[in-house]
Amino acid sequence: MRANRKRPAAAACALLAGVLCVVPAAAPASAATDYRIEIDPAANGPQISDRMYGIFLEDINHAADGGLYAELVQNRSFEYSTADNENYTPMTAWEEVVDGRAAGQAKVVNDAGRLNERNRNYLRLTLPADGGEYGVVNTGYSTGITVEEGQKYDFSVWAKSPGSGTAPLTVRLRDAEGAALAEPLALEADRRGWAEYTGTLTATASSTTGRLAVTSRGGGTLSLDMVSLFPRETFKGRENGLRKDIAQRIAALDPGFVRFPGGCLVNTGGHEAYEAPDWPRERSYQWKDTIGPVEERATNHNFWGYNQSYGLGYFEYFQFAEDLGAMPLPVVPALVTGCGENRATDDPELLQRHIQDTLDLIEFANGPADSEWGAVRAEMGHPEPFGLTHVQVGNEENLPDEFFARFLKFREAIEAEYPGITVIGNSGPASGGTVFERAWELNREHDVELVDEHYYNSPAWFLANNHRYDSYDRGGPDVYVGEFASQGNRFSNALAEAAYMTGLERNADVVRMASYAPLLAAEWDTQWTPDLIWFDNSTAWGSANYEVQKLFSANAGDRVVPSTATGTPGVGGPITGAVGLSTWNTSAEFDDVRVTSADGETLLSDDFSSGAGQWTHIADAGDWSVQDGAYVQTQTSGENTMVTAGDPGWTDYDLEVTATKREGAEGFLIGFGVQGTGDYYWWNLGGWNNTQSAVEHASGGAKSLILADDTTVESGRAYDIRIEVRGRDVALYLDGRQWGSFTAPTPEPFRQVVTRDERTGELVVKVVNAQAEAARTTIDLGGARVAPTAELTVLQGDPDARNTATRRPIRPETATLDGVDSAFTHTFPAHSITFLRLTPRD
């Protein structure tokens, strides 16, 4: 008899598809769970910052080049290189155009004949001597150049040709099949030296497969650089501007701030300048590289696997923030890399140069037009200051002590010269663990005003951690949640994020700002998901997550009104599941597995003397076999090679196993509470290239970190492991010593927060019901008198639904709710987010 084995009830209902399961009494699908919300309108909660919700804009997923930056020509300056991507060449996105007679030659050269010192490459065309037409055609991004019938497109090119007289230039816009999309543009290039030539093409048809051809004739050579085509209609009509439809999607969020330009772009690569003799191509994002005339800006490798043209640079970021009415928040490198690189640069002279660059940045943003860097801003078309108030130094560094040694020097210099500037720090790349704890210790010790937290966790984590900031020290640093997302673009992800955001607002006295990340993603080349706004060459659309962020921004209110709510019955059951063994890019062996119930009954005992018949290989990776009386995974490649044994209904047990790393990059993983390939807990010993150990929880395929330390694993050493599971409490022992313990937080599908709009006096009641049952709720306004009708805005849908370019199943619906009183009952639909605006009445 297995007294501790519990089978899930047949009537269990999913909180979020593939994520969690509530086990209440059986009920029909139309049933509702009863809740109560009590509001105290006479009390004042925390003030909500008018910058509570903003955006983080990093050039990932082609967010800038090929996305928000409106340039339609890819590789316009022939600077693409294998330093950017192993498949790139200087002629990527370019092809030859021949009229059928003798061919010419197109060659990218890097010599003293270049346009300028920082623009290293240019294209040299050797034209056919027989007078035939020859040149190149650009294929744009993805399917090609998108044009719309009747719209104007501004062409420009820098060209030169040796000799006297002029060289004819013909510019054509055609689709992939060769059909004309505009009347040809004829230009004459002066042969005396480099000059810019411009013209306008008016589209005579619409296409998403456009090609831009530039050709010449007459023999000799012709050099080209900075071949460009911009839509005349950009966001706010800016030159060198932004793609209007994407920018409008961003503007609709009404962001309070714009954090830019990274992210991993800021704290990866080298920190040297783009200069002789090496002209390095893998550098951290440095603001001076990105200002001035576009033809004089540097180029750089993008950490995310493509090229950065820097056409969208610091001036354009500042201008965009101003156009949005948002606070600019630039991030500068601290000379400590992260994002897997994890190196500290020990070069005092280089550090001082970057500190001075940061001081110069503040002058560029705020200095008078006759100052050194304010004059540069003015020359670029903005004589008035941008009003910079915040600067962030560094981005989620994994070396907190090395980072802080440099951060403090930046802050000291900034505060000495610009005491009104807030300098923001960070707490590393995760919601917990040793880096997080040490970083927060240093932030508190050094009185950092605002600390940037980043985490990408499972929907279950977001449902369970609504109270994360309840216990943060109100006398310590404030929090900026600079990057967060629940690892998916389904509506179930958006529901979990919405539930979590009610906790951010409730703790607005410590959480000052928050931004979902990443912001943008090209459907045709994505390095990271989920993302807030997706786009292709012609269309931009908001994800389900976008709809949530937009509504929370529009309904933030000005002050929290204290409120309480009852919880959901039946959630928070014990950790339940089988046991597992796994590796990650490592070969390891396991022996003497024993699982014992809390009352001492042996549930599983395996020394592999009779093979591995009790185990099931549930992952695609790995090669398992019994060797010399141990169960061995032999491959040193493959992420998650899990095998499982036991009953998925097990609760309250002890798991013991001996594990030995043979070879490879990491250690080994011991699973418990295993429900399947995407739902389990595991103790990851020697993870992250054997730099730390942690307990992680996977739910619906998305993992979240629970606790971690700096334990590493030695090859060839046998480790005795014991994991005790009691309800939701877990204790972990390594070689007889307790390594750690935790209580798994309880996911709660019903969350709420109430705020007041001080302009209108309205109470804004925000309720998230992230479960498959409706929530029949009594709302008690504490005697407040309100109008009998209220505005009701609801997001509701299938938890698996996703918005796409052609379908928007998740969109807000607004209606009028009748029967509102100082106490009333309303049923919130299953899988819904509701914003209820109650108007006061005298």
Side-chain angles (χ1 to χ4, degrees):
M1 175 180 177
R2 295 176 180 176
N4 295 291
R5 181 181 178 278
K6 297 181 181 179
R7 294 189 181 276
C13 66
L15 279 169
L16 290 176
V19 177
L20 294 170
C21 197
V22 184
V23 190
S30 60
T33 302
D34 289 321
Y35 295 91
R36 182 177 181 84
I37 296 175
E38 294 186 352
I39 302 169
D40 185 0
N44 282 325
Q47 190 81 25
I48 296 175
S49 168
D50 57 4
R51 298 171 179 146
M52 181 68 177
Y53 298 117
I55 61 171
F56 166 44
L57 180 51
E58 179 180 19
D59 189 5
I60 182 176
N61 307 321
H62 286 276
D65 292 310
L68 181 62
Y69 185 48
E71 174 64 79
L72 295 170
V73 175
Q74 183 178 188
N75 190 20
R76 66 183 176 187
S77 192
F78 309 99
E79 299 290 343
Y80 276 27
S81 163
T82 52
D84 307 319
N85 184 296
E86 64 180 6
N87 296 315
Y88 280 2
T89 74
M91 284 294 287
T92 293
W94 292 97
E95 300 170 354
E96 292 180 272
V97 176
V98 184
D99 72 354
R101 288 183 280 181
Q105 183 186 50
K107 182 180 180 181
V108 175
V109 292
N110 177 355
D111 62 20
R114 64 180 64 89
L115 177 59
N116 59 66
E117 190 72 0
R118 290 167 69 79
N119 195 333
R120 306 297 293 169
N121 290 352
Y122 65 98
L123 180 69
R124 179 182 293 152
L125 297 177
T126 302
L127 302 175
D130 66 357
E133 191 172 3
Y134 178 76
V136 288
V137 60
N138 189 268
T139 57
Y141 292 93
S142 184
T143 59
I145 293 171
T146 294
V147 295
E148 184 178 345
E149 183 177 359
Q151 294 297 308
K152 296 182 182 300
Y153 297 85
D154 294 324
F155 171 82
S156 63
V157 64
W158 285 78
K160 74 168 183 177
S161 183
S164 58
T166 60
L169 284 176
T170 303
V171 183
R172 295 182 177 88
L173 193 56
R174 299 180 182 274
D175 68 16
E177 283 69 47
L181 297 174
E183 292 297 319
L185 176 64
L187 301 171
E188 293 287 333
D190 193 318
R191 292 183 180 269
R192 288 174 294 183
W194 284 108
E196 185 179 26
Y197 302 91
T198 63
T200 300
L201 295 163
T202 301
T204 56
S206 296
S207 176
T208 60
T209 65
R211 306 289 191 262
L212 180 73
V214 181
T215 59
S216 187
R217 63 176 66 243
T221 63
L222 176 68
S223 297
L224 303 177
D225 205 348
M226 296 298 293
V227 184
S228 174
L229 187 69
F230 262 86
R232 175 75 56 83
E233 191 174 342
T234 60
F235 184 65
K236 301 288 186 180
R238 303 288 184 192
E239 292 186 11
N240 193 48
L242 307 180
R243 187 173 137 177
K244 187 175 180 181
D245 61 334
I246 298 176
Q248 286 175 332
R249 289 283 182 195
I250 296 171
L253 291 167
D254 192 20
F257 62 88
V258 180
R259 177 179 181 247
F260 63 90
C264 291
L265 298 189
V266 168
N267 71 334
T268 56
H271 304 292
E272 61 273 25
Y274 189 57
E275 61 187 13
D278 298 324
W279 300 98
R281 283 293 297 267
E282 297 188 21
R283 310 180 312 281
S284 57
Y285 197 111
Q286 300 172 43
W287 76 273
K288 288 180 180 177
D289 285 345
T290 76
I291 61 169
V294 291
E295 67 274 10
E296 296 177 8
R297 299 183 188 182
T299 188
N300 200 8
H301 156 85
N302 186 310
F303 173 82
W304 299 108
Y306 50 98
N307 176 268
Q308 295 178 87
S309 74
Y310 288 152
L312 174 52
Y314 255 71
F315 179 85
E316 289 77 21
Y317 279 121
F318 276 120
Q319 184 68 77
F320 187 38
E322 183 176 89
D323 287 342
L324 294 172
M327 178 189 84
L329 175 51
V331 186
V332 299
L335 275 67
V336 178
T337 60
C339 302
E341 294 186 358
N342 304 336
R343 297 188 306 270
T345 298
D346 187 13
D347 184 334
E349 184 177 345
L350 184 60
L351 175 62
Q352 187 55 45
R353 194 266 287 176
H354 276 268
I355 291 172
Q356 185 59 52
D357 281 354
T358 303
L359 298 176
D360 294 343
L361 169 62
I362 298 170
E363 183 178 283
F364 174 77
N366 291 351
D370 60 356
S371 65
E372 179 183 1
W373 290 101
V376 176
R377 182 195 69 239
E379 186 177 356
M380 295 183 72
H382 201 286
E384 296 301 317
F386 281 117
L388 179 66
T389 60
H390 291 66
V391 171
Q392 183 170 349
V393 176
N395 167 71
E396 61 175 51
E397 284 74 22
N398 269 308
L399 304 173
D401 289 280
E402 293 85 344
F403 164 72
F404 251 88
R406 292 153 180 80
F407 171 85
L408 293 174
K409 292 180 179 180
F410 276 88
R411 188 177 69 170
E412 180 182 12
I414 293 169
E415 290 181 344
E417 192 159 340
Y418 298 102
I421 297 291
T422 298
V423 183
I424 300 175
N426 73 78
S427 61
S431 54
T434 53
V435 170
F436 177 87
E437 296 296 338
R438 178 58 178 157
W440 260 106
E441 180 183 356
L442 292 165
N443 281 301
R444 287 188 292 266
E445 177 184 342
H446 295 289
D447 296 320
V448 176
E449 185 171 339
L450 193 59
V451 177
D452 181 12
E453 291 191 355
H454 296 176
Y455 37 83
Y456 298 90
N457 289 329
S458 69
W461 185 93
F462 282 92
L463 286 176
N465 282 274
N466 178 273
H467 294 282
R468 174 181 176 87
Y469 296 106
D470 291 3
S471 60
Y472 270 49
D473 182 5
R474 267 52 185 171
D478 287 337
V479 174
Y480 162 38
V481 185
E483 299 181 30
F484 76 98
S486 71
Q487 300 177 341
N489 278 139
R490 299 181 303 171
F491 186 44
S492 58
N493 297 96
L495 282 163
E497 290 155 4
Y500 186 73
M501 291 168 71
T502 65
L504 299 183
E505 290 191 4
R506 190 179 63 253
N507 288 284
D509 54 338
V510 68
V511 180
R512 307 303 298 167
M513 304 189 303
S515 48
Y516 182 101
L519 177 67
L520 298 173
E523 191 178 43
W524 41 271
D525 188 16
T526 303
Q527 294 82 48
W528 185 287
T529 59
D531 303 285
L532 204 62
I533 298 169
W534 290 78
F535 60 88
D536 56 24
N537 278 17
S538 60
T539 307
W541 62 96
S543 62
N545 319 67
Y546 171 88
E547 302 293 350
V548 165
Q549 297 298 317
K550 183 178 175 182
L551 284 172
F552 268 84
S553 178
N555 293 280
D558 301 293
R559 185 176 289 278
V560 175
V561 178
S563 62
T564 59
T566 55
T568 302
V571 299
I575 293 175
T576 304
V579 298
L581 308 172
S582 187
T583 62
W584 194 286
N585 292 332
T586 302
S587 172
E589 64 180 61
F590 304 86
D591 204 354
D592 297 325
V593 180
R594 184 178 179 85
V595 181
T596 308
S597 71
D599 58 11
E601 179 185 358
T602 298
L603 304 179
L604 173 70
S605 180
D606 202 341
D607 63 4
F608 303 103
S609 59
S610 300
Q614 299 185 78
W615 297 83
T616 302
H617 190 184
I618 64 171
D620 294 332
D623 186 1
W624 291 85
S625 62
V626 174
Q627 299 179 13
D628 299 324
Y631 200 21
V632 181
Q633 198 291 111
T634 56
Q635 292 184 355
T636 56
S637 61
E639 300 176 350
N640 189 4
T641 64
M642 186 177 283
V643 293
T644 66
D647 194 316
W650 280 348
T651 65
D652 297 344
Y653 56 78
D654 298 341
L655 165 61
E656 297 171 279
V657 61
T658 299
T660 304
K661 172 183 176 178
R662 287 188 162 192
E663 60 176 331
E666 305 208 351
F668 35 77
L669 306 107
I670 312 300
F672 56 99
V674 179
Q675 291 288 335
T677 55
D679 295 274
Y680 52 83
Y681 292 82
W682 68 19
W683 188 2
N684 185 348
L685 285 152
W688 295 271
N689 290 317
N690 203 16
T691 61
Q692 61 177 304
S693 295
V695 175
E696 297 176 283
H697 179 213
S699 179
K703 292 201 297 289
S704 302
L705 185 145
I706 296 177
L707 75 162
D709 75 357
D710 57 2
T711 299
T712 59
V713 170
E714 301 173 18
S715 296
R717 174 183 168 185
Y719 291 86
D720 292 326
I721 296 162
R722 179 183 177 89
I723 301 172
E724 297 179 356
V725 180
R726 298 293 185 273
R728 300 186 69 80
D729 296 325
V730 178
L732 306 104
Y733 297 84
L734 187 62
D735 288 336
R737 294 186 177 182
Q738 184 166 328
W739 174 88
S741 63
F742 69 93
T743 299
T746 301
E748 171 54 65
F750 186 81
R751 297 292 190 184
Q752 60 81 37
V753 70
V754 181
T755 61
R756 178 178 283 109
D757 185 325
E758 292 181 346
R759 182 181 63 84
T760 65
E762 292 173 310
L763 292 176
V764 187
V765 181
K766 307 162 208 185
V767 177
V768 180
N769 184 27
Q771 61 184 322
E773 289 187 357
R776 184 171 49 236
T777 306
T778 299
I779 301 174
D780 186 341
L781 301 180
R785 291 168 53 84
V786 294
T789 61
E791 180 184 277
L792 189 72
T793 302
V794 181
L795 280 177
Q796 181 186 9
D798 185 326
D800 286 327
R802 302 171 187 262
N803 289 352
T804 68
T806 57
R807 292 185 66 253
R808 189 184 169 198
I810 305 303
R811 66 175 69 198
E813 299 288 343
T814 300
T816 299
L817 178 67
D818 296 321
V820 177
D821 206 339
S822 58
F824 65 100
T825 297
H826 178 70
T827 299
F828 296 96
H831 304 305
S832 70
I833 306 161
T834 301
F835 298 81
L836 182 61
R837 300 187 74 101
L838 307 177
T839 304
R841 184 175 63 177
D842 295 333

